[in-house]
């Protein structure tokens, strides 16, 4: 009965870009969810602090989902994973600065509500994070077919 759905999911899972969009979407939900929750529960918390907390938690979530499900990292054990994790966090800290600065710019200089500014900046950050992850962090050898179509990488 649900065989067609399983086939569609399996076909989508073979494409790295679609996997990144899916798990990137989940990471964005973690980021936005934590941010909006902090702003709702602790309205006196400065939006910049709430933003730093939400981005930090989403970075941890993103590392585990990206390494395991998106880029199918072969790194095993601390000696292999630690350098990969450091590169990942470094790249994400770069986009965190862009995100925090972008939200600040939109709120303070453009008069956009912080929740809208946060949402708008997510699109820029999502694209940059994919580029950094693909070309700087998870850089194992890929075949020409994988690079061209984002195909299955295991």
């Amino acid at each position: 009965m649900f065989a067609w759905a399983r086939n569609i999911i399996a076909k989508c899972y073979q494409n790295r870009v679609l996997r990144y969009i899916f798990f990137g979407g989940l990471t964005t939900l973690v980021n936005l969810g934590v941010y909006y929750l902090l702003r709702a529960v602790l309205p006196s918390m400065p939006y910049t602090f709430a933003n730093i907390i939400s981005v930090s938690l989403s970075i941890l979530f993103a590392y585990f989902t990206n390494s395991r499900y998106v880029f199918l990292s072969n790194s095993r054990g601390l000696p292999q994973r630690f350098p990969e994790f450091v590169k990942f966090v470094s790249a994400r800290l770069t986009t965190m600065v862009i995100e925090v600065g972008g939200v600040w710019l939109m709120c303070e200089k453009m008069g956009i509500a912080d929740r809208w500014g946060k949402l708008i900046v997510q699109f820029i950050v999502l694209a940059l994070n994919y580029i950094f992850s693909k070309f700087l962090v998870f850089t194992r050898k890929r075949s020409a077919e994988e690079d061209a179509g984002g195909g299955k990488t295991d």
Side-chain angles (χ1 to χ4, degrees):
M1 181 168 153
F2 292 106
W4 62 272
R6 274 192 300 246
N7 289 337
I8 291 172
I9 291 169
K11 198 84 157 154
C12 289
Y13 190 76
Q14 291 177 359
N15 185 295
R16 182 184 318 113
V17 172
L18 291 179
R19 288 192 313 259
Y20 183 78
I21 290 170
F22 176 76
F23 288 106
L26 291 179
T27 300
T28 300
L29 286 176
V30 168
N31 189 342
L32 294 174
V34 170
Y35 180 79
Y36 293 154
L37 181 67
L38 287 171
R39 295 290 288 147
V41 173
L42 304 167
S44 63
M45 176 184 282
Y47 67 83
T48 303
F49 189 60
N51 202 10
I52 290 169
I53 293 171
S54 68
V55 172
S56 298
L57 291 175
S58 68
I59 287 172
L60 292 174
F61 177 81
Y63 173 73
F64 291 106
T65 58
N66 277 261
S67 67
R68 181 164 182 169
Y69 301 112
V70 176
F71 295 100
L72 307 173
S73 172
N74 291 328
S75 297
R76 299 290 178 252
L78 189 58
Q80 286 183 332
R81 283 203 178 267
F82 186 72
E84 183 179 86
F85 181 74
V86 169
K87 287 192 290 186
F88 185 86
V89 170
S90 297
R92 293 297 170 114
L93 288 175
T94 301
T95 58
M96 180 178 169
V97 169
I98 293 167
E99 182 172 340
V100 171
V103 173
W104 175 85
L105 180 69
M106 289 187 171
C107 294
E108 300 299 324
K109 300 300 180 186
M110 300 171 90
I112 297 173
D114 66 299
R115 288 169 176 83
W116 284 107
K118 174 91 171 156
L119 184 62
I120 292 166
V121 171
Q122 290 304 298
F123 292 101
I124 297 165
V125 168
L126 185 68
L128 288 173
N129 283 337
Y130 179 79
I131 291 166
F132 289 160
S133 291
K134 182 175 180 178
F135 296 108
L136 299 175
V137 179
F138 303 107
T139 56
R140 72 174 182 79
K141 300 278 187 214
R142 290 183 287 268
S143 70
E145 177 185 316
E146 290 170 351
D147 283 337
K152 192 170 181 179
T153 57
D154 54 353

